[in-house]
Amino acid sequence: MYRYTDFDAAFVATRNAQFRAQVERRIDGSLTEDEFKPLRLMNGLYLQLHAYMLRVAIPYGTLNSAQLRQLAYIAERWDKGYGHFTTRQNIQFNWPKLRDVPDMLDALAEVQMHAIQTSGNTIRNVTADHFAGAAADEIADPRPVAELIRQWSTDHPEFQFLPRKFKIAVTGSPNDRAVTKAHDIGLRMIRNDAGKPGFEVIVGGGLGRTPVIGKIVRDFLPEADLLPYLEAVVSVWNLLGRRDNKYKSRIKITVHEHGIDDIRARVEDRFALLRPAFSGVDQQLFAQIKSDFAPPAFEDRDTAPFDQAYEQDSVFRSWADTNLSDHRAPGHAIAQISLKAHGATPGDASADQMRVMADLAARYGHDELRISHEQNIVLPHVHKADLPAIHAALKEAGLATANIGRISDIIACPGMDYCALATARSIPIAQEIATRFDQLKLEHEVGDLKIKISGCINACGHHHVGHIGVLGLDRAGVESYQITLGGDHTENAAIGQRTGPGFAADEIVPAIERIVDTYLSERLSADEAFIDTFARVGMTPFKTALYGENDKRAKAA
Amino acid sequence: MAAIFTPKVVTANALLEGDVVYLTDADTWSRDLEQAEVLTDEADAQIRLIEASARVDEVVGVYLAEVTPGSTGPEPAHFREAFRATGPSNYSHGKQSEAL
């Protein structure tokens, strides 16, 4: 893992001291709220529906056990004993008091963490494949790239007042687990025909009120050109991007209005100008960063304890079948810890649960944890022989739900239970769907199905790319939920299609049930996943199931 | 034709705690919607809003929220205000589980 240099530590300490003084000046009346708000947002502090909310960056979703323990401590000392892991691999504390936030930031700095650029019109926390450095299908570890971008973008003087926020995601695997096509810039690490490492650069993707799948702006960017090229893209958008209308300010709109060819030409011009200024210091830094991400020493051990437990313990077998993924090292696995117990709030973990996971990472997992954008925790490097013990410990902590990738593994934004922007709730809808399908004992039969729920059109819950997407809206003072089908968050990224008119809060779970029933009756076999059945049969049978053959509402849609 | 004025309360978030607060007729801030002063006259409501907005060292984001009169005091007219008055609905925590 990357370790702060003296420079990093001093930078964060300075920012924290500045923010402490800003908070004092707000409280003593020297700063108005209008003056203070941009300052607090630069440091990740929002004011939400019921309280302040502190969003802490977890760079590319990577944590060690000491960091997770400190997050548990912060949750207990200054919040309500839990934290909420988000779709951007961050953690949010929902109940901090203004006076305590400087102390919370100092506590974060003790474990090399901060909340800088988790808000505001800046380049945000860089996200990456949560299986980075572990996945069997990976070409290269994306985290050194993400760390290089983090260092370049943090406090970048040209990019502190962008037209709007800017999000970058990196994947080192052809199987995209980082939703790169729904980011302002998506980077796919590839090799060219000569075997040289580089990137396919995707630009102008995004969800929100105008969902757009990103377009390729450069087929192959040599590795050493990364920072000047990124600087060229952001710089072109910084000048062109619309500041007159915040709904048209993201780079996806700029690309749409100017066309990808025009943007590409402008970026190449700018890149030609900037490239000579990058003398190679960035590449020296990159080489150092790479060494920080050297793979751990994987042990070659007998996997008999795993095989035995798999054979004898059906609960363990079920968990192993759903929550484990292939690891690059023999005898190892990637274990996902579901934060989606049926009926619980997706992405929430108590302080006690955080400590259990930290202990497991320290004892069995080379001290590494990841946060997935799907709001689960990952132990990226565990030996299969240790999995029975890990599973037993998780079970005791209420963390052994065997549902990764299943219908109850729902992404849900905080929605109107917490968020000031929300137009409807999303968490209770997720709770009800998960509880219902658990009662029906259907979820393993249904198989791979991603439900993603957002409580407003800003789409933090990624509903556009859910196999089933749910969007909560306020329709004349009543919560109403629109359904989309056929969205895809992978390398085959697609925006879901609306089924038709929305459903009231008490109609949404039965509606989801009808969709699932339709899938089960339409699929060719249990091997045909929901998304494949939808691609084959199209919207019609689902629409009929939702609205009936001759329903006026179906015709209206 | 001008829209008919519906009853309102002055609401905001407390500067230090972030809690949802309501303006009472004694010019104090209460965490309890039932304690809020109900404003039925548009001009009064605007004056109370301006006065409350000036209290920048106590509260943030002052606005008028619609209410309907109930047997024990004002009740939220919109579901958003109902969640603000009560707290999160995913499980009982925050205001609803703590003494006011």
Side-chain angles (χ1 to χ4, degrees):
Chain A
M1 260 181 82
Y2 179 77
R3 296 263 152 208
Y4 275 13
T5 60
D6 292 346
F7 176 87
D8 297 328
F11 171 76
V12 172
T14 305
R15 271 293 282 267
N16 285 356
Q18 284 169 351
F19 188 59
R20 183 178 289 278
Q22 288 157 358
V23 170
E24 280 166 19
R25 279 152 60 212
R26 174 67 183 100
I27 291 172
D28 75 17
S30 322
L31 287 177
T32 65
E33 186 60 21
D34 285 347
E35 289 164 333
F36 180 64
K37 188 176 174 183
L39 300 172
R40 67 168 159 78
L41 289 178
M42 277 181 203
N43 292 283
L45 186 64
Y46 287 73
L47 182 57
Q48 293 287 20
L49 214 52
H50 312 293
Y52 287 97
M53 180 272 279
L54 182 66
R55 180 182 294 153
V56 177
I58 299 174
Y60 32 91
T62 294
L63 279 175
N64 61 30
S65 62
Q67 291 173 322
L68 188 54
R69 278 193 201 104
Q70 188 78 339
L71 294 175
Y73 169 74
I74 288 169
E76 271 179 350
R77 172 83 172 73
W78 292 293
D79 208 88
K80 293 194 188 295
Y82 74 97
H84 176 73
F85 292 97
T86 78
T87 55
R88 299 212 68 258
Q89 302 181 306
N90 293 315
I91 184 170
Q92 294 178 174
F93 293 107
N94 286 327
W95 306 94
K97 309 277 185 236
L98 181 58
R99 271 190 209 285
D100 294 335
V101 174
D103 290 339
M104 295 168 83
L105 293 177
D106 283 349
L108 288 169
E110 284 173 20
V111 291
Q112 309 197 338
M113 295 181 80
H114 62 67
I116 297 166
Q117 287 180 216
T118 60
S119 173
N121 296 334
T122 55
I123 299 175
R124 301 287 187 90
N125 184 31
V126 180
T127 53
D129 182 353
H130 43 271
F131 291 173
D137 58 14
E138 185 172 274
I139 296 166
D141 188 341
R143 290 172 303 157
V145 176
E147 175 59 30
L148 182 71
I149 297 170
R150 187 178 76 88
Q151 296 193 13
W152 160 81
S153 62
T154 301
D155 219 26
H156 192 302
E158 189 179 338
F159 303 142
Q160 292 305 296
F161 296 92
L162 293 170
R164 197 82 174 86
K165 57 190 164 184
F166 198 88
K167 300 173 182 176
I168 303 174
V170 198
T171 178
S173 163
N175 298 303
D176 185 3
R177 288 173 288 262
V179 210
T180 55
K181 289 184 178 170
H183 283 76
D184 296 291
I185 291 180
L187 295 170
R188 291 184 55 226
M189 299 173 79
I190 52 172
R191 287 182 182 277
N192 68 4
D193 295 341
K196 296 272 183 221
F199 304 93
E200 180 186 88
V201 184
I202 300 156
V203 72
L207 301 174
R209 72 175 58 217
T210 318
V212 180
I213 300 296
K215 296 176 179 69
I216 295 170
V217 64
R218 180 74 103 89
D219 292 323
F220 183 80
L221 181 74
E223 199 175 68
D225 290 345
L226 178 67
L227 291 189
Y229 192 83
L230 291 180
E231 195 151 301
V233 174
V234 184
S235 175
V236 163
W237 168 66
N238 196 16
L239 283 178
L240 276 187
R242 288 182 55 175
R243 290 166 195 266
D244 61 320
N245 180 343
K246 77 176 203 171
Y247 303 124
K248 296 189 172 176
S249 55
R250 298 286 292 267
I251 195 171
K252 60 190 174 188
I253 305 294
T254 316
V255 171
H256 179 73
E257 288 182 347
H258 290 261
I260 187 70
D261 295 331
D262 179 68
I263 295 294
R264 183 180 294 116
R266 287 172 192 261
V267 167
E268 292 297 340
D269 283 353
R270 183 79 187 149
F271 172 69
L273 203 68
L274 289 171
R275 182 65 184 88
F278 285 74
S279 58
V281 178
D282 58 322
Q283 291 307 298
Q284 288 167 19
L285 248 178
F286 189 37
Q288 283 169 25
I289 293 168
K290 272 185 185 167
S291 66
D292 288 324
F293 290 94
F298 297 118
E299 285 174 80
D300 190 11
R301 273 193 286 150
D302 189 4
T303 60
F306 172 85
D307 301 329
Q308 207 176 3
Y310 191 86
E311 194 66 38
Q312 294 169 358
D313 179 353
S314 63
V315 176
F316 176 74
R317 183 162 62 242
S318 166
W319 180 79
D321 284 344
T322 49
N323 292 35
L324 300 182
S325 300
D326 292 341
H327 197 280
R328 53 192 269 209
H332 285 71
I334 301 168
Q336 292 204 63
I337 302 169
S338 169
L339 297 184
K340 316 286 179 69
H342 301 105
T345 301
D348 274 12
S350 70
D352 286 339
Q353 288 177 324
M354 289 186 219
R355 277 189 285 266
V356 167
M357 294 186 282
D359 289 348
L360 290 173
R363 184 156 176 206
Y364 300 111
H366 298 277
D367 207 32
E368 269 203 46
L369 299 120
R370 305 286 169 73
I371 312 306
S372 75
H373 76 267
E374 288 164 327
Q375 302 179 282
N376 293 309
I377 309 278
V378 183
L379 294 172
H381 310 297
V382 287
H383 197 278
K384 283 186 165 181
D386 295 325
L387 282 167
I390 290 171
H391 179 253
L394 290 174
K395 214 157 77 171
E396 214 165 294
L399 288 167
T401 313
N403 65 346
I404 296 294
R406 299 292 185 251
I407 194 168
S408 61
D409 182 9
I410 299 170
I411 290 184
C413 73
M416 202 177 272
D417 287 305
Y418 300 93
C419 178
L421 298 175
T423 44
R425 290 173 297 167
S426 50
I427 293 167
I429 304 300
Q431 291 172 305
E432 285 169 35
I433 295 171
T435 307
R436 179 65 182 148
F437 281 90
D438 190 40
Q439 283 165 353
L440 294 172
K441 297 290 166 217
L442 257 184
E443 70 175 328
H444 291 284
E445 196 191 329
V446 172
D448 187 39
L449 176 51
K450 310 268 189 194
I451 298 185
K452 301 179 196 281
I453 309 176
S454 304
C456 81
I457 56 174
N458 294 309
C460 294
H462 294 193
H463 65 277
H464 297 297
V465 293
H467 298 161
I468 301 177
V470 179
L471 165 63
L473 295 168
D474 174 354
R475 285 278 180 258
V478 179
E479 289 169 293
S480 172
Y481 294 87
Q482 268 179 12
I483 298 178
T484 49
L485 298 178
D488 190 334
H489 64 292
T490 69
E491 60 283 1
N492 306 313
I495 307 292
Q497 305 164 38
R498 260 183 70 187
T499 56
F503 295 86
D506 59 352
E507 294 173 342
I508 187 75
V509 177
I512 300 287
E513 256 187 89
R514 293 205 292 282
I515 292 168
V516 172
D517 287 346
T518 307
Y519 155 63
L520 290 175
S521 62
E522 292 282 342
R523 71 181 179 187
L524 294 175
S525 75
D527 293 334
E528 190 181 56
F530 176 88
I531 188 74
D532 300 322
T533 301
F534 180 80
R536 184 173 56 76
V537 304
M539 183 64 96
T540 309
F542 295 98
K543 233 174 170 162
T544 306
L546 286 174
Y547 305 106
E549 289 285 356
N550 299 308
D551 194 310
K552 276 187 223 151
R553 298 206 299 172
K555 283 183 186 154
Chain B
M1 197 179 92
I4 295 165
F5 185 76
T6 50
K8 303 277 191 301
V9 296
V10 175
T11 183
N13 289 81
L15 170 67
L16 295 181
E17 296 84 11
D19 295 355
V20 175
V21 292
Y22 304 95
L23 187 65
T24 69
D25 55 12
D27 272 341
T28 57
W29 294 104
S30 170
R31 265 71 178 157
D32 184 358
L33 175 57
E34 289 182 4
Q35 309 285 322
E37 175 190 17
V38 179
L39 303 159
T40 51
D41 178 84
E42 185 165 11
D44 282 351
Q46 289 304 329
I47 289 166
R48 295 295 279 160
L49 176 65
I50 290 164
E51 288 169 355
S53 301
R55 295 164 70 166
V56 292
D57 53 347
E58 297 170 15
V59 290
V60 182
V62 185
Y63 67 94
L64 293 172
E66 201 172 316
V67 291
T68 49
S71 54
T72 55
E75 290 171 5
H78 186 277
F79 63 88
R80 185 177 196 271
E81 290 303 324
F83 295 126
R84 286 185 79 243
T86 314
S89 73
N90 49 336
Y91 63 96
S92 177
H93 67 307
K95 189 184 253 188
Q96 58 203 310
S97 66
E98 292 156 14
L100 287 167

